[in-house]
């Protein structure tokens, strides 16, 4: 019997609950999350867990066995904790719908950083673009970056390197990092030539990563490209989803202006990875170094979030703020969140819409469910659940939203404005796009980001004249507004 | 519903930043600054904390107070009012000429900004002035109208006006 999951928490009852309590709790949960009553995707996933929990806890014999198995696990400390902050604790009873934000923090245990000095064992695959356009400074910097990574790794780690152009070649088959000299030599012989077909490279990379796939390792593929792949994007995303299901994360990095950022974002979002835009070849080093360091700081891997709103609540969007800012899709669920580092929480900002005409009193809003594999834990999958409730009142006292939410949302708003301008342009609404960019410039200026504001103004003018954004301007606005959300890495994590 | 004072977009209740233009509905600064300021430090910031009405009805009057000038200027804005300073070399004078109040020294352009009458509102537009137009401390983008509210502070270069609706 799998005793690692806290079935009592899933049903929302204390461990000493009577059979009646359990039945009543199940009835309430079914009313909230049964697919007939609740159309939300996350609710269906939650309900599946609830049925499993009820099946065991409602059977006296099964419950006894579960309790015993659970007692044996008790000695383990809580691996990670959830903290959820709503934008308002008391909502006004209104005839119209209203928006509620939740800031979710998934926190590693406080002592994790100090107790585990060693880094997490990595199973790392680099998938490197060697198409003709990479020739020169780009490829040189990529080689140096790869050398640096090899130098950083130790004998507990596994590395593989795949290069691709029109086809893929396995430069270094998955191997433990023992003979660094010959690994570096293999990287040095890379040469540029050919087109860009990401699918082949990605498929070969994932295959290499899979060879050493281990639940107690950080299994990650880093894709680096400067080009646009044609016709195989859908297949790549399919591949990414399969990889995520197996426990492989993908981070993607685009160099220069040609590559498709939406595609790389989707690739990272599907697997809990990170995507980034690199303007100069020099920045390759920094990005790869940070990525590998972040993975090495892993406390838990393969974090997944399920957001199950109550039947009348709508889940509108979610955005991962930390450890690296990344837009995430709320469908399909569970949502992949990637790596939980030892000394940095994962934070996610969730936007919900509450229904009109809610009754006064306390009510539930949503359930958040997080699972993840703790790398050094005896047992693998850990789970945390948080049920969010708010109070509804007639004319409540005005309430200042929490600083953390205001701050994060303020920056996220900038990023979203850029996205809206792009959307407007794609829909052919040129004036809207130009106005959005001007608004963005105003807000950036007000927030003290003069250089970015200038870029936004230039792009606003360009849009009204040429009905298009420049590739460079579009990407730097997008990724630099996104980067505003990033917090600096804690000093203690720097090697 | 929460109407944005900046762009007039109707947001849903609970929204913290205008979903159209990103205008913050809560001031972050107020929440961050916990240091107690001396009473003097608040001088000159009056009118920024509270928002007056944006509604400017038919027949209403606009009262313009210029800092350090005892008598306010009262006008009925039925059409566009260009604010600036008279050019000694000629050219059309602006509707509201600020040159008697030291406008040139304080960096006001000849055609600096204009106040436009909308339906039940007044908007302020910067006319690509050299030193910029600031509404309640925030710089305006050229040619982007902003809704004015009772009690707003407008700064043109270093020239400060306070606007009141009557």
């Amino acid at each position: 019997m799998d005793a690692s999951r806290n079935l009592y928490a899933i049903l929302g009852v204390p461990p000493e609950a009577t059979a009646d309590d359990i039945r009543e709790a199940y009835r309430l949960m079914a009313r909230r999350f049964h697919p007939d009553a609740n159309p939300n995707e996350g609710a269906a996933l939650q309900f599946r867990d609830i049925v499993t929990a009820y099946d065991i806890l409602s059977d006296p014999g099964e419950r006894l066995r579960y309790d015993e198995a659970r007692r044996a696990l008790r000695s383990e400390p809580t691996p990670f904790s959830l903290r959820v902050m709503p934008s308002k604790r008391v909502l006004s009873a209104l005839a119209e719908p209203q928006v509620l934000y939740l800031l979710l923090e998934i926190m590693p245990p406080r002592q994790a950083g100090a107790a585990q000095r060693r880094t997490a064992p990595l199973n790392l695959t680099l998938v490197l673009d060697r198409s003709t356009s990479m020739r020169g400074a780009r490829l040189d910097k990529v080689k140096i970056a790869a050398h640096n990574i090899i130098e950083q790794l130790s004998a507990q780690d596994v590395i593989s390197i795949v290069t691709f152009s029109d086809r893929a070649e396995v430069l270094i088959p998955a191997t433990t990092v023992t003979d660094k000299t010959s690994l570096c030599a293999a990287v040095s012989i890379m040469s540029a030539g050919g087109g860009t077909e990401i699918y082949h490279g990605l498929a070969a990379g994932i295959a290499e990563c899979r060879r050493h796939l281990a639940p107690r390792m950080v299994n990650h593929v880093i894709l680096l490209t400067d080009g646009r792949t044609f016709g195989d994007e859908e297949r790549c995303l399919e591949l990414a989803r399969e990889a995520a299901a197996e426990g492989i994360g993908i981070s993607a990095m685009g160099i220069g202006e040609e590559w498709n950022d939406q595609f790389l974002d989707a690739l990272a979002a599907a697997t809990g990875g990170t995507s980034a835009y690199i303007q100069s070849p020099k920045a390759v080093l920094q990005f790869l170094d940070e990525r590998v360091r972040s993975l090495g700081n892993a406390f838990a891997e393969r974090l997944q979030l399920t957001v199950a709103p109550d039947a009348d609540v709508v889940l509108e969007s979610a955005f991962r703020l930390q450890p690296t800012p990344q837009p995430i899709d709320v469908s399909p669920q569970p949502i992949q969140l990637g790596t939980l580092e030892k000394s940095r929480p994962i934070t996610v900002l969730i936007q919900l819409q509450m229904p009109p005409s809610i009754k006064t009193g306390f009510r539930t809003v949503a359930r958040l469910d997080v699972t993840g594999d703790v790398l050094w834990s005896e047992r693998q999958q850990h789970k945390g659940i948080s049920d969010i409730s708010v109070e509804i009142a007639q004319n409540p006292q005005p309430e200042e939203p929490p600083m953390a939410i205001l701050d994060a949302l303020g920056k996220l708003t900038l990023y979203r404005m850029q996205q809206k301008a792009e959307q407007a342009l794609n829909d052919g609404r040129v004036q809207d796009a130009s106005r959005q960019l001007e608004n963005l410039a105003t807000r950036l200026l007000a927030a003290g980001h003069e250089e970015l504001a200038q870029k936004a103004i230039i792009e606003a003018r360009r849009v009204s004249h040429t009905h298009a954004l420049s590739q460079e301007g579009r990407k730097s606005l997008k990724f630099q507004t996104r980067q505003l959300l990033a917090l600096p890495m804690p000093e203690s994590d720097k090697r | 519903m929460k109407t944005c004072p900046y762009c007039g977009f109707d947001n849903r209740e609970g929204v913290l930043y205008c979903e159209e233009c990103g205008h913050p509905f809560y001031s972050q600064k107020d929440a961050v600054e916990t240091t107690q300021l001396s009473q003097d430090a608040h001088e000159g910031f009056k009118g920024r904390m509270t928002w007056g009405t944006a509604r400017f009805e038919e027949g209403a009057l606009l009262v313009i107070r210029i800092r350090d000038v005892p008598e306010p200027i009262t006008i009925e804005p039925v059409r566009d009012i260009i604010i600036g300073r008279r050019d000694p070399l000629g050219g059309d004078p602006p509707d509201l000429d600020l040159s008697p109040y030291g406008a040139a020294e304080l960096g006001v352009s000849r055609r600096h900004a204009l106040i436009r009458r909308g339906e039940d509102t007044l908007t302020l537009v910067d006319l690509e002035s050299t030193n910029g137009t600031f509404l309640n401390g925030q710089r305006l983008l050229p040619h982007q109208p902003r809704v004015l509210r009772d009690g707003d502070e407008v700064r043109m270069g270093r020239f400060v006006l306070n606007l009141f609706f009557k």
Side-chain angles (χ1 to χ4, degrees):
Chain A
M1 179 180 294
D2 176 18
S4 66
R5 296 163 81 185
N6 185 347
L7 303 181
Y8 294 101
I10 291 173
L11 279 184
V13 293
E16 61 274 12
T18 65
D20 282 346
D21 293 342
I22 287 171
R23 203 173 313 118
E24 177 62 12
Y26 174 72
R27 204 179 56 79
L28 286 174
M29 287 295 166
R31 212 160 62 189
R32 271 178 78 190
F33 297 122
H34 192 284
D36 289 348
N38 191 328
N40 289 298
E41 194 179 336
L45 291 179
Q46 252 338 288
F47 190 65
R48 220 171 52 193
D49 285 357
I50 288 161
V51 170
T52 313
Y54 180 68
D55 282 349
I56 293 171
L57 295 185
S58 62
D59 180 323
E62 289 270 300
R63 182 176 174 187
L64 206 64
R65 288 205 294 138
Y66 168 77
D67 284 348
E68 268 168 21
R70 182 117 185 113
R71 263 192 291 278
L73 287 172
R74 261 297 144 78
S75 51
E76 268 199 48
T78 325
F80 50 78
S81 48
L82 308 186
R83 195 165 71 186
V84 185
M85 196 191 285
S87 56
K88 266 187 181 176
R89 298 196 179 274
V90 187
L91 302 187
S92 184
L94 296 173
E96 53 191 290
Q98 50 187 315
V99 174
L100 181 69
Y101 300 95
L102 303 177
L103 185 69
L104 163 68
E105 275 183 291
I106 307 167
M107 301 200 283
R110 198 166 293 161
Q111 70 287 3
Q116 286 149 0
R117 288 303 330 167
R118 60 188 168 151
T119 55
L122 302 183
N123 171 24
L124 188 68
T125 303
L126 302 180
V127 176
L128 308 174
D129 189 339
R130 61 170 201 88
S131 60
T132 313
S133 50
M134 289 290 289
R135 185 168 289 156
R138 286 182 182 171
L139 199 63
D140 289 345
K141 291 292 185 236
V142 167
K143 284 180 187 174
I144 297 171
H147 285 164
N148 281 1
I149 288 173
I150 292 168
E151 287 304 326
Q152 273 186 39
L153 299 179
S154 69
Q156 62 166 358
D157 302 315
V158 174
I159 191 159
S160 48
I161 298 183
V162 169
T163 63
F164 70 97
S165 53
D166 311 310
R167 57 207 164 84
E169 284 142 14
V170 179
L171 194 65
I172 298 176
T175 172
T176 47
V177 183
T178 42
D179 185 0
K180 291 187 178 179
T181 320
S182 48
L183 291 178
C184 286
V187 170
S188 298
I189 59 165
M190 252 175 95
S191 66
T196 301
E197 275 185 46
I198 295 178
Y199 179 80
H200 297 304
L202 198 60
I206 290 171
E208 283 305 310
C209 196
R210 206 176 266 148
R211 287 171 47 179
H212 282 261
L213 185 66
R216 286 186 208 291
M217 288 184 113
V218 177
N219 307 290
H220 209 87
V221 173
I222 299 179
L223 166 70
L224 201 151
T225 182
D226 73 342
R228 194 175 269 267
T229 187
F230 288 100
D232 57 1
E233 290 181 352
E234 207 28 67
R235 281 199 297 160
C236 287
L237 290 177
E238 191 53 46
L239 208 58
R241 284 189 279 268
E242 282 168 30
E246 292 174 69
I248 299 174
I250 301 177
S251 287
M253 170 165 79
I255 313 174
E257 274 74 59
E258 301 299 313
W259 53 282
N260 180 347
D261 50 307
Q262 271 117 352
F263 165 63
L264 293 196
D265 274 353
L267 210 54
T271 60
T274 296
S275 52
Y277 166 43
I278 285 161
Q279 270 170 301
S280 73
K282 266 208 314 257
V284 172
L285 284 168
Q286 198 199 343
F287 173 83
L288 277 181
D289 185 58
E290 269 184 25
R291 205 75 274 279
V292 172
R293 203 189 292 144
S294 162
L295 295 172
N297 275 326
F299 167 75
E301 261 291 297
R302 297 169 281 281
L303 272 93
Q304 297 186 334
L305 164 69
T306 305
V307 184
D310 282 40
D312 53 355
V313 177
V314 183
L315 169 61
E316 295 196 322
S317 64
F319 194 96
R320 186 181 77 196
L321 304 164
Q322 267 191 297
T324 45
Q326 192 75 29
I328 48 183
D329 295 330
V330 293
S331 176
Q333 292 212 25
I335 299 162
Q336 305 291 337
L337 294 178
T339 305
L340 175 62
E341 294 177 25
K342 277 182 290 202
S343 42
R344 267 204 293 195
I346 294 177
T347 54
V348 180
L349 190 64
I350 298 163
Q351 182 174 332
L352 302 170
Q353 179 180 275
M354 300 294 291
S357 316
I358 350 173
K359 277 193 298 212
T360 55
F362 284 91
R363 61 156 290 166
T364 52
V365 173
R367 168 178 280 200
L368 306 183
D369 174 323
V370 175
T371 60
D373 295 347
V374 176
L375 293 172
W376 285 281
S377 169
E378 279 295 302
R379 57 182 222 247
Q380 278 295 303
Q381 212 188 46
H382 289 268
K383 195 182 189 69
I385 285 180
S386 182
D387 265 311
I388 322 300
S389 299
V390 291
E391 190 186 346
I392 317 291
Q394 298 289 349
N395 305 316
Q397 287 274 320
E399 200 181 337
E400 276 282 327
M403 260 323 288
I405 292 187
L406 269 184
D407 184 50
L409 195 63
K411 293 169 183 164
L412 184 54
T413 301
L414 297 174
Y415 175 70
R416 291 229 170 105
M417 287 169 77
Q418 178 278 331
Q419 292 290 87
K420 269 176 92 169
E422 217 173 288
Q423 188 56 50
L425 200 56
N426 289 341
D427 298 348
R429 292 178 284 120
V430 175
Q431 278 198 327
D432 285 354
S434 166
R435 198 190 60 239
Q436 285 289 350
L437 286 168
E438 280 169 6
N439 284 337
L440 175 61
T442 312
R443 299 269 71 94
L444 283 167
L445 212 56
H449 304 291
E450 284 184 23
E451 217 175 297
L452 264 182
Q454 279 304 328
K455 270 189 190 151
I457 290 176
I458 292 169
E459 291 301 320
R461 291 211 183 111
R462 196 192 305 274
V463 162
S464 51
H465 291 144
T466 67
H467 296 195
L469 290 155
S470 73
Q471 279 297 328
E472 192 275 333
R474 197 178 68 81
K475 287 207 175 82
S476 48
L477 277 180
K478 173 173 176 176
F479 285 89
Q480 286 176 22
T481 51
R482 188 193 288 179
Q483 207 50 40
L484 296 177
L485 284 154
L487 296 176
M489 205 173 206
E491 274 303 313
S492 59
D493 284 2
K494 295 197 173 150
R495 286 191 197 179
Chain B
M1 209 139 69
K2 209 179 229 167
T3 304
C4 176
Y6 181 82
C7 71
F9 183 77
D10 288 333
N11 288 278
R12 290 170 294 173
E13 199 60 42
V15 164
L16 305 180
Y17 293 83
C18 175
E19 293 196 310
E20 175 64 18
C21 74
H23 184 85
F25 292 143
Y26 291 87
S27 162
Q28 274 194 54
K29 279 225 179 66
D30 289 349
V32 179
E33 282 173 18
T34 43
T35 36
Q36 183 66 53
L37 297 170
S38 70
Q39 205 49 46
D40 305 356
H42 289 294
E43 294 287 352
F45 283 83
K46 277 175 194 157
R48 291 193 189 188
M49 303 301 182
T50 50
W51 268 326
T53 176
R55 194 172 168 80
F56 196 82
E57 279 160 13
E58 180 112 30
L61 296 177
L62 179 66
V63 179
I64 303 172
R65 284 184 183 278
I66 300 167
R67 188 169 280 183
D68 304 325
V69 176
E71 267 311 295
I73 303 166
T74 302
I75 43 176
E76 191 181 351
V78 282
R79 53 182 178 85
D80 286 3
I81 299 165
I82 292 173
I83 308 173
R85 61 179 167 84
R86 183 187 293 273
D87 188 347
L89 300 175
D92 284 345
D95 302 304
L96 181 59
D97 177 19
L98 299 177
S99 46
Y101 313 103
E105 294 76 22
L106 293 171
V108 178
S109 295
R110 276 160 290 193
R111 290 166 54 85
H112 197 108
L114 73 77
I115 291 176
R116 175 163 290 164
R117 179 79 215 238
E119 200 177 314
D120 285 343
T121 53
L122 288 183
T123 53
L124 178 68
V125 185
D126 177 69
L127 300 173
E128 287 183 63
S129 60
T130 311
N131 295 307
T133 306
F134 297 77
L135 180 56
N136 298 323
Q138 202 179 64
R139 184 162 187 165
L140 266 56
L141 286 173
H143 304 296
Q144 272 242 92
R146 289 266 306 261
V147 175
L148 286 172
R149 292 176 163 263
D150 189 10
D152 273 347
E153 181 191 271
V154 175
R155 183 158 65 80
M156 295 179 295
R158 286 188 291 127
F159 196 105
V160 181
L161 299 174
N162 281 290
L163 306 178
F164 300 95
F165 299 177
K166 201 160 113 183

